[in-house]
């Protein structure tokens, strides 16, 4: 075991603090990564604060990791020392079940091992990317294309793939009318990717305060959901709604924005139930769906797509000492559009 500096939550009610965590010795198929940057995802906040159920503490979050390979195990073939690499939300899975064989490791029947707060195959609890180094089995490490900077690429590892996967699955392309609800980390990736896929994109945000940014990121239209006229004017206007909101929204109003046969895909994951009137679905043969990040192969595909289209996250790089303040800003929807921790400041 090697000790590395990290920022971890000591309990669900306490702020994150600097601590030391253990990384396993390099196994034959493992890659040791010197972490350069780690994005702050709203899921980090939900998890450490217990919104999704009890956790084991101390817990270092972080699943939007970029860095360079510092060492490789004897049998590693995919990565070499010095390579620019990334790790997202997944670090292991059984590799044998139907989902794993289909490249959808996130749905592993034996339980995917998530980057933090998950029990790994060796029985230890995983610790995430708010740290100086991480050891990950090579098949869960992706390549960062040369044209993407490591800081602005970090959020692609979760926010990017979480937007990309459902947009592809629901065949978003030229002629598709897409609404992205919430212009935060996931939402601002959804707007850029849907636009690059050729769709007609509308942002539905609480206010118009970020309208200029939304249009610059590729939206064709931008509406405030605090204005009741929005829901009257846009009834039956969309084929796909990507719901990225981290809180409960009034589903009846939003489902009414779907055209006949349209689908709302929920990626936002509030801890409380989202109440749905079945009539909102029946009345327009509408579908309500969910989507969970994406598989490792699809994550590489998304990174290559972003490189080809010049897409990265809009970021605010912060020192580790500002993580707790950044959490408060994310909770207040005051993020433009992802905080990224400079890992060089973690050990300071
Ligand atoms: P974020 O940066 O905080 O963005 C969420 C956005 O939702 C906010 O910027 C805000 O946008 C809107 N919002 C927040 N509270 C709202 C409210 N009460 N009513 C209406 N809109 C509200 O968070 P994120 O990192 O993008 O994550 C969003 C959600 O997705 C979280 O629940 C996270 O856990 C989840 N997530 C899921 C997956 C998955 O695989 N399914 C992966 C990653 C994250 P406006 O200011 O524009 O209104
Ligand atoms: Zn995330």
């Amino acid at each position: 075991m090697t000790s590395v500096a990290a920022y971890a939550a000591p309990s669900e009610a306490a702020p994150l603090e600097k601590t030391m965590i253990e990384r396993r010795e390099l196994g034959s198929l493992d890659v040791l990564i010197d972490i350069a940057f780690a994005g702050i995802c709203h899921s980090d906040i939900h998890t450490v604060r217990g919104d999704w159920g009890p956790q084991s503490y101390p817990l270092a979050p972080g699943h939007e990791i970029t860095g360079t390979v510092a060492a490789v195990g004897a049998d590693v073939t995919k990565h070499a020392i010095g390579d620019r690499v990334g790790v997202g939300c997944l670090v292991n899975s059984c590799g044998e079940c139907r989902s794993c064989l289909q490249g959808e490791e996130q749905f592993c029947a034996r339980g995917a091992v998530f980057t933090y707060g998950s029990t790994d195959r060796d029985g230890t609890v995983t610790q995430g990317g708010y740290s100086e180094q991480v050891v990950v089995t090579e098949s869960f490490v992706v390549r960062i294309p040369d044209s993407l900077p490591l800081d602005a690429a970090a959020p692609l590892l979760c926010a990017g793939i979480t937007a990309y996967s459902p947009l592809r699955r629901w065949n978003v392309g030229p002629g598709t009318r897409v609404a992205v609800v919430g212009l935060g980390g996931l939402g601002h990736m959804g707007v850029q990717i849907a636009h690059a896929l050729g769709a007609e994109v509308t942002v539905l945000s609480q206010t118009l305060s970020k309208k200029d940014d939304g249009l610059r990121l590729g939206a064709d239209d931008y509406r405030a959901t605090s204005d009741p006229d929005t829901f009257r004017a846009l009834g039956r206007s969309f084929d796909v709604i990507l719901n990225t909101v981290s809180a409960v929204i009034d589903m009846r109003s939003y489902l009414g924005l779907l055209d006949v046969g349209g689908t709302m895909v929920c990626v936002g994951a509030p801890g409380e139930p989202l109440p749905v009137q079945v009539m909102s679905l029946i009345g327009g043969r509408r579908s309500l769906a969910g989507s969970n990040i994406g598989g490792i192969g699809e994550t590489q595909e998304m990174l290559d797509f972003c490189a080809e289209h010049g897409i990265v996250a809009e970021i605010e790089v912060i020192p580790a000492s500002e993580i707790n303040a950044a959490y408060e800003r994310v909770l207040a929807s005051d993020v433009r559009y992802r905080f990224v921790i400079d890992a060089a400041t973690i050990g300071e």
Side-chain angles (χ1 to χ4, degrees), residues 34-254:
D34 281 336
I35 297 176
F37 296 99
I40 293 180
C41 178
H42 205 120
S43 301
D44 302 348
I45 305 175
H46 285 307
T47 305
V48 298
R49 301 211 170 168
D51 293 354
W52 293 342
Q55 300 294 321
S56 101
Y57 296 92
L59 177 60
H63 57 206
E64 293 185 337
I65 302 169
T66 57
T68 50
V69 174
V72 294
D75 299 326
V76 167
T77 56
K78 248 184 100 183
H79 306 286
I81 291 174
D83 284 0
R84 303 162 82 246
V85 292
V87 176
C89 303
L90 297 165
V91 290
N92 215 338
S93 73
C94 81
E96 293 167 355
C97 72
R98 215 171 119 162
S99 291
C100 285
L101 293 175
Q102 286 172 345
E104 297 194 313
E105 298 88 352
Q106 72 273 34
F107 303 125
C108 175
R110 296 192 181 93
V113 180
F114 293 95
T115 305
Y116 56 81
S118 233
T119 304
D120 208 342
R121 304 258 166 258
D122 62 7
T124 59
V125 175
T126 53
Q127 295 286 359
Y130 297 5
S131 64
E132 295 177 306
Q133 290 185 314
V134 64
V135 176
V136 181
T137 188
E138 68 163 341
S139 49
F140 287 81
V141 177
V142 291
R143 183 179 40 77
I144 306 293
D146 289 339
S147 63
L148 300 181
L150 290 183
D151 53 1
L156 302 182
L157 276 307
C158 174
I161 183 61
T162 302
Y164 181 84
S165 182
L167 292 172
R168 291 305 304 267
R169 173 149 298 267
W170 275 274
N171 296 315
V172 165
T176 317
R177 300 160 298 168
V178 176
V180 175
V181 189
L183 193 70
L186 268 52
H188 96 293
M189 294 311 309
V191 170
Q192 295 185 78
I193 293 168
H195 174 71
L197 289 168
E200 191 184 302
V201 184
T202 299
V203 174
L204 300 175
S205 180
Q206 294 167 94
T207 69
L208 294 179
S209 64
K210 297 177 277 192
K211 181 174 179 181
D212 291 347
D213 291 345
L215 297 179
R216 179 171 49 75
L217 290 163
D220 302 283
D221 196 2
Y222 197 107
R223 303 292 180 105
T225 53
S226 52
D227 179 353
D229 275 349
T230 294
F231 292 96
R232 278 194 284 274
L234 298 181
R236 288 198 177 194
S237 297
F238 301 109
D239 305 303
V240 173
I241 296 178
L242 184 68
N243 171 16
T244 77
V245 176
S246 47
V248 173
I249 56 172
D250 175 32
M251 292 294 276
R252 188 175 181 162
S253 307
Y254 286 86

